[in-house]
Structures are given as structure tokens and as C-alpha cells.
Amino acid sequence: QVKLEESGGDSVQAGGSLKLTCAASPYMLTTCGMGWYRQASGKERELVASIKNDGDTIYSKSVKGRFTISENNDKSNAKSTLYLQMTDLESDDTAIYYCAAEYRMIADYCSVTGFEPNFWGQGTQVTVSA
């Protein structure tokens, strides 16, 4: 079945760096895009960054220039790994970070308006102390 498993969350001081990893198994579905969301305590879940199957990336204004999303696809076993390199971390970056994926039966079903995730990981906690 589809699996998304995050790792790499930790507690760091402001100004530090972290790299999140998401091990993804789309099973037999087509990957339309992948991304990272985060949810801080008492706030709604928000998009941090996404990458479409054509390589286009989107970043939220709050992280642009500090975070980098990338992926590595292993075609030999139809698995992929999604990364989020986070630098110059701020206390406002404290949140649970979720890996998300838009997987569809065929590419023709991929969202044409943007990244619309339909699968989620369990999340990994990132805590940034001042």
C-alpha cells in the first residue's frame, strides 16, 4: 500500500539547520507531486514547499530562501525519497512537519491547478528554541 514516512525532526537552536526525509512508496500509483506541510500548535496546517512531477517547486513566503525541497526517485523499485533542507531556522518554524503526496491512477488525473495532496505521513516534530 502507499506509505509516507518522515524522519529527521529534532530540537535545534535558532539559526541552526535540519534536514527532513520522507520515504515514499506510491505502490502502483502515479506521482503527480510531493510536498511538505507543517502545523504549529493552535494553527492551521500550511504548505511549506511542494515539487511537481515536472520539477516545478513552490515555497511559502516565510521559508523561501531558507528551505529547499528536493527528491530522489529510485525507478528500480518505484520508491522515492523527499527531502526538506531547512537552514537559518527560526522559532516560528516550530511545528509538526508532514510529508504529503498527490498520487493518482494515471497522470491524466493529476491536478492541473496545483498540488492537491491525497496521502499524508504521520508527521515529525521540529522544535526551534530562541
Side-chain angles (χ1 to χ4, degrees):
Q1 68 272 22
V2 173
K3 291 183 179 179
L4 297 172
E5 186 171 358
E6 306 96 335
S7 61
D10 205 346
S11 297
V12 296
Q13 291 190 330
S17 299
L18 273 179
K19 188 173 186 177
L20 304 183
T21 300
C22 174
S25 301
Y27 191 47
M28 299 179 69
L29 299 174
T30 295
T31 302
C32 302
M34 298 190 70
W36 291 94
Y37 282 72
R38 68 184 181 186
Q39 186 167 20
S41 180
K43 295 186 178 181
E44 294 186 353
R45 189 175 298 190
E46 64 173 354
L47 175 68
V48 176
S50 66
I51 182 166
K52 295 282 285 183
N53 54 0
D54 59 5
D56 283 350
T57 58
I58 294 176
Y59 294 91
S60 69
K61 290 182 179 179
S62 62
V63 307
K64 197 169 187 178
R66 299 188 296 122
F67 291 10
T68 303
I69 189 171
S70 62
E71 65 178 344
N72 180 37
N73 294 314
D74 186 345
K75 296 183 177 180
S76 66
N77 60 9
K79 294 183 179 180
S80 63
T81 305
L82 184 71
Y83 303 99
L84 184 68
Q85 177 67 55
M86 306 185 292
T87 63
D88 194 19
L89 284 162
E90 305 167 354
S91 56
D92 285 347
D93 295 320
T94 295
I96 299 174
Y97 284 71
Y98 297 91
C99 176
E102 181 182 354
Y103 294 142
R104 307 292 177 186
M105 290 295 292
I106 57 175
D108 287 349
Y109 295 165
C110 292
S111 170
V112 297
T113 59
F115 175 54
E116 296 184 4
N118 52 353
F119 291 93
W120 298 85
Q122 294 299 306
T124 186
Q125 177 71 47
V126 172
T127 303
V128 184
S129 57

